Amino acid sequence: MKMLVYAFFGFLLVGLGLVRDVSVYDETLIPRLLPLLAMLFVALPLVPVIARKVTGRPLDAAILRDPLVRCFAAYAAITALSLLFATNVSAGFTDVFKTLATFLVLCVSCLLLPLVPRWQESLAKIAIVAALANGGVGWWELLSQHGLGIHSRHTMETVMGLMTNVNFFAHFLNLALPFCLFGIVALRGIWRLAAIAAAIVAGGMLLLLQSRSAYVGLAGGATAAVLAALAVGEKLGLSRRTRGIIAGLFVAGAVGAVGFVTTAGDDNPLAGRVRSIFETNAT
């Protein structure tokens, strides 16, 4: 069962990154969307069969009534209905299929993961491998094309990892980073070392890519994670001392980041990029 989870999420996070068609305008969108949808339409009806084989009883699909799943189902339905008012129907169909694929991934994940003991660790391992693979490609592009250093945003636009856009690459790393940090805490042995390496690879590349949306997501995600740790820390097994350390590190990091951004010179690409988030005329 665990190997099935590795195969499913490995395909999502690593395998799809290898699919592209250079003969079309967008080398990755449709070429990756088609095999993803095909895999999902095969996987979804197989989940009840797998559940019965693993647990010996029918699949419990109650989790699909969760408010988050219902909200995403409503979003998918609204996206489909928007075709009635679309001026570019072909682009609208692409959006519908992207939303449908995301919704189906959510459903399959919700149904499949509870069947695997300690699925959180299994998912973290897959994300660690994905971060090392995608981030490793990005570092190779950076070093081979521009050399090690802090380069301008325009220069960094050629560093895309397994994506076709620097912002998509940054968003992928942004999503993988929390799993890497979780792996540092939850995993042991070689996997903990791999999680540390993946966090350094993903975090370092994320900073150098200078994606403002990724910076905002990173700051918002870190804030939400710290607030959650402080609010429900006891339920998570965090002692009062540990929660105090987390809060202290977060405040120190925030103060340090603000100090760097406000005092660095105009010739510093990283500080300039962050400052441009608050400039209405920035591009």
Side-chain angles (χ1 to χ4, degrees):
M1 189 63 198
K2 186 176 292 186
M3 293 306 299
L4 183 61
V5 171
Y6 286 153
F8 178 73
F9 288 99
F11 174 76
L12 290 178
L13 299 179
V14 181
L16 279 179
L18 304 176
V19 178
R20 63 178 59 217
D21 184 355
V22 297
S23 65
V24 297
Y25 176 74
D26 191 324
E27 299 179 7
T28 59
L29 178 57
I30 299 301
R32 293 180 183 179
L33 187 58
L34 290 176
L36 174 59
L37 286 170
M39 185 269 291
L40 288 170
F41 281 118
V42 171
L44 192 59
L46 286 179
V47 173
V49 179
I50 296 170
R52 179 177 287 276
K53 184 175 181 180
V54 172
T55 64
R57 59 180 183 274
L59 175 68
D60 183 7
I63 192 172
L64 296 183
R65 294 196 293 268
D66 184 89
L68 177 62
V69 179
R70 291 183 175 184
C71 286
F72 210 101
Y75 173 62
I78 292 172
T79 304
L81 290 174
S82 69
L83 288 175
L84 299 175
F85 312 96
T87 56
N88 187 337
V89 178
S90 61
F93 272 112
T94 302
D95 289 337
V96 168
F97 285 121
K98 285 193 298 183
T99 307
L100 176 63
T102 307
F103 176 64
L104 292 179
V105 167
L106 176 63
C107 292
V108 173
S109 301
C110 289
L111 296 173
L112 187 62
L113 288 176
L115 302 177
V116 181
R118 304 175 69 174
W119 61 264
Q120 297 90 338
E121 296 180 9
S122 299
L123 190 58
K125 291 177 181 178
I126 301 169
I128 289 168
V129 173
L132 287 172
N134 218 330
V137 172
W139 277 103
W140 177 81
E141 290 177 329
L142 172 65
L143 296 175
S144 62
Q145 297 177 15
H146 312 299
L148 183 62
I150 301 176
H151 303 283
S152 68
R153 162 65 179 188
H154 178 72
T155 300
M156 293 301 295
E157 287 182 355
T158 62
V159 179
M160 298 178 288
L162 297 176
M163 305 298 176
T164 54
N165 181 283
V166 64
N167 285 322
F168 291 162
F169 182 32
H171 296 162
F172 178 90
L173 297 176
N174 208 4
L175 292 173
L177 189 57
F179 291 97
C180 299
L181 298 178
F182 170 78
I184 295 174
V185 176
L187 301 179
R188 297 291 182 269
I190 190 66
W191 278 110
R192 171 173 285 183
L193 296 177
I196 294 172
I200 295 173
V201 167
M205 179 54 62
L206 185 60
L207 293 176
L208 294 177
L209 289 176
Q210 300 170 48
S211 171
R212 292 177 298 187
S213 56
Y215 284 168
V216 172
L218 182 63
T223 302
V226 171
L227 292 177
L230 297 179
V232 296
E234 292 184 3
K235 295 181 179 179
L236 297 175
L238 301 176
S239 65
R240 179 175 296 181
R241 180 173 179 271
T242 301
R243 297 199 299 273
I245 292 174
I246 292 174
L249 291 175
F250 176 75
V251 172
V255 171
V258 171
F260 167 73
V261 170
T262 55
T263 60
D266 294 335
D267 59 340
N268 189 295
L270 296 181
R273 193 65 177 168
V274 175
R275 286 197 291 262
S276 71
I277 295 174
F278 306 97
E279 298 173 0
T280 55
N281 61 342
T283 57

